[in-house]
Amino acid sequence: MKFLGVYDYTVILTYVGLVSSVIGMTQAIHGDYKAAVFCLAFSGVCDAFDGRIARTKKDRTNREKNFGIQLDSLCDVVCFGLFPAFICYLLGVRGVLGLILVCFYCLCAVIRLSFFNVLETERQQSEGVCNKTYHGLPVTSMAFLLPMTFWLQFVVSQLTFLVLLHVLLGVVGLLFILDFPLKKPGLKTILALVAVVAVTVSIIYARTRFRLPHPADESNPVVEEIIDEIQEHT
């Protein structure tokens, strides 16, 4: 039997990262956001090393290289586009404002990844060497930024934490599509970031007390608080 696609060791981590994010979404639906954050961070680790592993295979055909480009971006849409926005929505980024931010973030992630595919295809056809800088903030950064934001709930109020989630989606989404040079991290930097995320996720598992809002509740706590403050002063 012959199957479509590529199944050698160069794409295993990409497949594993996608599976991790899908499992994380199922856990988030059931309220286990600790597991969801772990799955997001684990997907980020997989994405951080899948390219390095793929480049160790020197005899890849052009079709295999192009397949890897498309596969990586398609998986990134799920892992670092939809998945983080999904977690934020479940945590309370809801209502009209929340939906606008969730959609904005996802659109920016898709635009960035589509543009990356174009640049990467052009690079392989002309240069054949790896770029040393990013254009804008890579989508994988959300696997680091969202767990770090979760950690802040230990030192801020629940309302402030929800405000931070709103700001996170808006600012990070904008940075996805803002064209500025960002140097790609080396192996030591990547390992340091992995260590920081590992410690952060461990703290989240050990200490957090956050409770998810009811799934049927479409209200936005941040907007409601602002409205209540306005009403009190009028």
Side-chain angles (χ1 to χ4, degrees):
M1 295 177 65
K2 186 176 181 180
F3 297 94
L4 299 175
V6 175
Y7 302 94
D8 58 29
Y9 76 91
T10 64
V11 294
I12 289 177
L13 273 186
T14 307
Y15 290 147
V16 171
L18 175 63
V19 171
S20 174
S21 289
V22 172
I23 293 173
M25 282 189 277
T26 65
Q27 298 309 299
I29 290 173
H30 295 293
D32 190 355
Y33 85 91
K34 295 180 183 180
V37 171
F38 170 81
C39 289
L40 175 63
F42 183 72
S43 295
V45 173
C46 292
D47 187 80
F49 293 101
D50 61 357
R52 291 176 177 271
I53 292 176
R55 287 191 291 273
T56 62
K57 192 171 188 292
K58 303 301 182 183
D59 59 344
R60 285 190 300 164
T61 65
N62 286 332
R63 174 171 289 186
E64 288 175 332
K65 292 178 181 179
N66 289 328
F67 179 84
I69 294 172
Q70 302 301 325
L71 175 69
D72 187 67
S73 289
L74 289 172
C75 289
D76 284 355
V77 168
V78 178
C79 298
F80 313 115
L82 179 61
F83 187 21
F86 188 67
I87 292 176
C88 291
Y89 174 82
L90 289 176
L91 285 171
V93 185
R94 303 184 181 183
V96 175
L97 175 61
L99 284 176
I100 290 174
L101 288 172
V102 165
C103 291
F104 173 75
Y105 174 84
C106 290
L107 281 171
C108 290
V110 170
I111 292 169
R112 173 181 176 75
L113 290 167
S114 298
F115 189 70
F116 167 80
N117 279 12
V118 173
L119 291 180
E120 190 65 13
T121 301
E122 292 175 348
R123 180 190 67 80
Q124 290 199 6
Q125 291 175 350
S126 59
E127 303 173 12
V129 295
C130 293
N131 292 322
K132 297 187 181 298
T133 58
Y134 292 113
H135 289 270
L137 190 69
V139 294
T140 316
S141 59
M142 200 57 159
F144 173 80
L145 294 173
L146 189 55
M148 293 302 295
T149 303
F150 270 100
W151 182 85
L152 291 176
Q153 66 181 279
F154 303 129
V155 294
V156 299
S157 66
Q158 181 173 324
L159 182 63
T160 302
F161 174 63
L162 289 175
V163 171
L164 290 175
L165 290 181
H166 285 70
V167 173
L168 182 69
L169 288 177
V171 172
V172 173
L174 180 62
L175 292 177
F176 283 166
I177 59 175
L178 194 62
D179 191 2
F180 63 93
L182 181 65
K183 184 179 179 181
K184 289 187 176 182
L187 181 59
K188 291 183 179 179
T189 302
I190 292 175
L191 291 175
L193 290 174
V194 169
V196 170
V197 172
V199 171
T200 301
V201 173
S202 298
I203 294 173
I204 290 172
Y205 261 92
R207 297 191 54 191
T208 186
R209 295 288 188 274
F210 193 83
R211 292 290 182 269
L212 289 168
H214 192 277
D217 185 7
E218 292 293 333
S219 61
N220 187 307
V222 175
V223 175
E224 289 186 346
E225 181 69 18
I226 294 174
I227 293 176
D228 290 343
E229 288 290 332
I230 293 176
Q231 291 177 344
E232 288 180 3
H233 292 83
T234 56

